[in-house]
Amino acid sequence: MDRFLSHFTHRFDAKGRVSIPAPFRQLLAKDGFEGVYAYPSLDQPALDCGGLKLLAEIDALLATMPPWSPARDAFATALLGTSEILRMDAEGRVSLDERLKAALGLSDVAVFVGQGHKFQIWEPSRFQAHLEESRLRVRGLRVKRGSEATV
Amino acid sequence: MDRFLSHFTHRFDAKGRVSIPAPFRQLLAKDGFEGVYAYPSLDQPALDCGGLKLLAEIDALLATMPPWSPARDAFATALLGTSEILRMDAEGRVSLDERLKAALGLSDVAVFVGQGHKFQIWEPSRFQAHLEESRLRVRGLRVKRGSEATV
DNA sequence: TGGGATAGCATGGGACCCCATGGGCGTCAA
DNA sequence: TTGACGCCCATGGGGTCCCATGCTATCCCA
């Protein structure tokens, strides 16, 4: 398996550490760097995470935009400028900044959500709300696509 | 046989495991991964299940959408984020989360329903109700098509 | 045609391992 | 000195693997 799938709920310990889900760690290990590349999600109160592969995808995306264009600058700022490198310990845990936790509304539990090429970290109740909204949107889009509604 | 057909009723054991019906297992084995890809059905209290082929269909759908677009995020969240990777043991059983069982209304028995490219897992009485409704809908559609006698 | 052998399959249960989580200790910087 | 952070070891529970049992349907042979 080569993408981030499924979802996991993990708890922060007294030191502010959380375990990255083991399946996700295995994926991250594949592109060989001992950490997590993360930046605040573009339009959600969540943290987008991934490995070197995600970073490469961002590069590819930026490459499709004209240099020095406002769009490219905006994407570069949002996806690269605000990013953080989270270091993992031997047990596969990372610790989040107090500032970052506050921004995401995190307290003692976090949800890890697979999204294929990346995964997200959410505060549980916020994610629940986001999930409802996403399902509604998907239902709507699926109807529009008509007969192609295989899924 | 290359499709999920027919339906089966199996029992959960004390550890929360159920046997995937043997005909379904044979199909899953064809695309060669020892597990089941599953996610909550979008508009039914059921679990949609399949193998790598089902996952590939979802990937293909996602690939048609621009990266970092709200639509793609919604699909990824609803179809990948809510998914579960159910590993099968040597006897072809999977175990369902207690939370997942609750969401589906499952207690000690589950119905496996073939749907061609995928199959579903239902709580028996809920499935019965769904079946009645489907029958009615089909009758209605058939009348509309004007081909009463043939079907 | 009928009865016994047999294989496939659903189900039960024990043992073990992975993994999430907790906590101690040293190091470095404020 | 103190608090934050990185590194190490400990532990307990859930999940996975492995072996066992009973049922049923099919096949084979008399």
Side-chain angles (χ1 to χ4, degrees):
Chain A
M1 201 135 41
D2 54 343
R3 49 213 130 179
F4 298 103
L5 294 175
S6 192
H7 56 106
F8 306 86
T9 301
H10 287 169
R11 160 174 304 277
F12 286 91
D13 66 13
K15 291 181 172 182
R17 300 173 295 186
V18 256
S19 294
I20 303 290
F24 292 1
R25 287 201 307 253
Q26 289 174 10
L27 246 68
L28 292 171
K30 275 190 185 165
D31 57 28
F33 102 111
E34 289 298 319
V36 178
Y37 175 74
Y39 58 90
S41 210
L42 291 183
D43 27 36
Q44 291 140 17
L47 196 65
D48 279 18
C49 306
L52 291 182
K53 229 166 139 188
L54 178 62
L55 203 46
E57 282 179 35
I58 292 174
D59 282 345
L61 177 68
L62 291 178
T64 65
M65 303 176 174
W68 296 289
S69 65
R72 180 179 178 143
D73 279 0
F75 267 87
T77 303
L79 297 180
L80 301 177
T82 64
S83 67
E84 320 222 358
I85 305 296
L86 308 176
R87 246 194 294 271
M88 279 197 306
D89 66 13
E91 286 75 31
R93 292 175 291 195
V94 298
S95 42
L96 297 188
D97 228 65
E98 207 47 57
R99 188 167 35 244
L100 196 51
K101 283 183 68 175
L104 300 173
L106 288 166
S107 56
D108 61 335
V109 172
V111 181
F112 295 77
V113 185
Q115 300 229 314
H117 64 130
K118 63 179 166 62
F119 66 92
Q120 294 185 322
I121 302 180
W122 283 83
E123 189 276 331
S125 68
R126 289 189 182 181
F127 174 66
Q128 206 55 41
H130 174 63
L131 178 58
E132 292 305 322
E133 187 193 319
S134 296
R135 300 185 110 219
L136 281 178
R137 183 195 291 262
V138 167
R139 267 204 283 264
L141 290 174
R142 194 180 48 164
V143 168
K144 270 191 200 148
R145 301 184 135 236
S147 62
E148 192 188 345
T150 56
V151 184
Chain B
M1 181 164 63
D2 56 343
R3 290 175 293 181
F4 297 104
L5 295 174
S6 189
H7 60 102
F8 306 85
T9 302
H10 287 167
R11 162 174 303 277
F12 286 92
D13 67 13
K15 289 181 167 183
R17 298 175 296 186
V18 257
S19 293
I20 302 291
F24 292 1
R25 285 202 307 252
Q26 289 174 10
L27 245 68
L28 292 171
K30 277 189 185 166
D31 57 28
F33 112 105
E34 289 298 318
V36 178
Y37 176 74
Y39 58 91
S41 193
L42 286 174
D43 27 38
Q44 289 145 15
L47 196 64
D48 280 16
C49 305
L52 290 182
K53 235 166 134 187
L54 180 60
L55 191 50
E57 284 178 29
I58 294 174
D59 273 349
L61 183 64
L62 286 176
T64 65
M65 306 175 179
W68 282 277
S69 67
R72 183 189 174 129
D73 280 359
F75 269 87
T77 299
L79 297 179
L80 300 179
T82 65
S83 69
E84 313 266 346
I85 306 299
L86 308 175
R87 244 203 293 267
M88 279 197 306
D89 64 14
E91 287 75 30
R93 291 174 293 193
V94 298
S95 47
L96 297 189
D97 225 68
E98 206 47 56
R99 194 166 17 249
L100 191 54
K101 283 183 67 176
L104 299 173
L106 288 166
S107 56
D108 61 337
V109 171
V111 182
F112 295 77
V113 185
Q115 297 223 318
H117 68 127
K118 64 178 167 60
F119 65 93
Q120 293 186 323
I121 302 180
W122 284 81
E123 190 276 330
S125 68
R126 289 189 182 182
F127 175 65
Q128 205 55 40
H130 173 63
L131 189 55
E132 295 303 326
E133 191 199 339
S134 299
R135 285 219 177 103
L136 285 178
R137 184 172 300 173
V138 168
R139 266 203 281 271
L141 289 174
R142 193 179 49 173
V143 168
K144 268 189 200 152
R145 296 176 131 242
S147 57
E148 316 87 24
T150 55
V151 186

